[in-house]
């Protein structure tokens, strides 16, 4: 019995050390559309007179954000955003998105308050068309933007106050589609040996 416990302890130490050496990450799911998480309401350029369309709908194990971007009436964007629920993700380094794109560029956006308008923090993604892929988005790479423009001298993203998640497509005319399965937070597995 003692020998069995000692062997388990050795295997545990080896597993933790190996994870740290290989750069393994600890993952926590935030949003999981494969479980039927609620889809996000749309915010299209109709708020400023445009006629672009876009919405998110539930599919078989994922959600789909699709529509058409039009430049008519000074429009040019479509977006969706989760309802506001504050997440404290300060213990994590960033997010991992599991998505399938159409070859177009999208902004993945975070807000640190529940206001309709105001500054968002954006990370640009361009997943390849037609294949599922995972994209890492470090919190330090999110850029403050307001109505499509970078906001200079604005405080960096505070991961302890993330209130909403969203997707936006802008300045790319025509039909679009992006599928999203999950949003997860990640951090590096700690090296327990270095703490001894």
């Amino acid at each position: 019995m003692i020998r069995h416990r000692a062997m388990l302890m050795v295997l545990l130490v080896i597993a933790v050390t190996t994870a740290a050496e290989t750069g393994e990450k600890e993952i926590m799911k935030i949003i999981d559309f494969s479980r039927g998480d609620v889809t996000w309401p749309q915010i299209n350029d109709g708020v400023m007179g445009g006629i672009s369309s876009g919405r998110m709908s539930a599919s078989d194990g994922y959600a789909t954000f699709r529509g058409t971007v039009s430049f008519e009436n000074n429009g040019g964007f479509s977006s969706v955003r989760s309802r506001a629920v504050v997440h404290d993700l300060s213990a994590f380094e960033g997010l991992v998105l599991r998505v399938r794109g159409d070859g177009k560029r999208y902004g993945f956006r975070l807000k640190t308050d529940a206001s309709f308008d105001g500054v968002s923090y954006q990370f640009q993604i361009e997943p390849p068309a037609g294949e599922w892929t995972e994209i890492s988005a470090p919190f330090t790479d999110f850029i403050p933007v307001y109505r499509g423009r970078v906001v200079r001298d604005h405080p960096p993203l505070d991961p302890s106050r993330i209130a909403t998640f969203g997707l936006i497509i802008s300045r790319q005319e025509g039909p679009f589609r992006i599928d999203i399965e999950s949003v997860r937070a990640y951090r590096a597995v700690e090296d327990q040996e270095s703490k001894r």
Side-chain angles (χ1 to χ4, degrees), residues 28-163:
M28 181 178 77
K29 279 194 177 177
I30 309 296
I31 299 165
D32 186 358
F33 290 110
S34 71
R35 292 186 324 210
D37 282 2
V38 177
T39 56
W40 302 340
Q42 67 264 21
I43 305 168
N44 297 319
D45 58 16
V47 297
M48 46 197 291
I51 62 168
S52 296
S53 63
R55 67 184 185 92
M56 183 178 268
S57 59
S59 298
D60 185 19
Y62 54 89
T64 299
F65 172 40
R66 77 170 93 197
T68 303
V69 171
S70 172
F71 293 163
E72 288 188 46
N73 297 345
N74 296 316
F77 78 88
S78 179
S79 70
V80 287
R81 184 193 302 170
S82 69
R83 301 194 186 280
V85 177
V86 176
H87 295 78
D88 181 356
L89 301 180
S90 56
F92 293 87
E93 298 170 31
L95 301 172
V96 176
L97 318 175
R98 181 164 171 76
V99 293
R100 179 172 59 189
D102 56 2
K104 293 190 173 184
R105 293 182 317 278
Y106 295 83
F108 185 74
R109 287 188 166 183
L110 305 175
K111 279 182 65 65
T112 55
D113 59 57
S115 65
F116 177 79
D117 204 4
V119 173
S120 298
Y121 293 85
Q122 181 167 296
F123 182 85
Q124 185 171 292
I125 62 173
E126 195 170 340
E131 61 183 73
W132 286 102
T133 186
E134 292 194 346
I135 299 173
S136 294
F139 289 135
T140 54
D141 288 355
F142 280 80
I143 297 168
V145 294
Y146 179 66
R147 297 187 178 177
R149 295 192 174 127
V150 175
V151 181
R152 307 289 177 195
D153 301 321
H154 196 79
L157 173 66
D158 179 356
S160 72
R161 299 172 50 226
I162 295 174

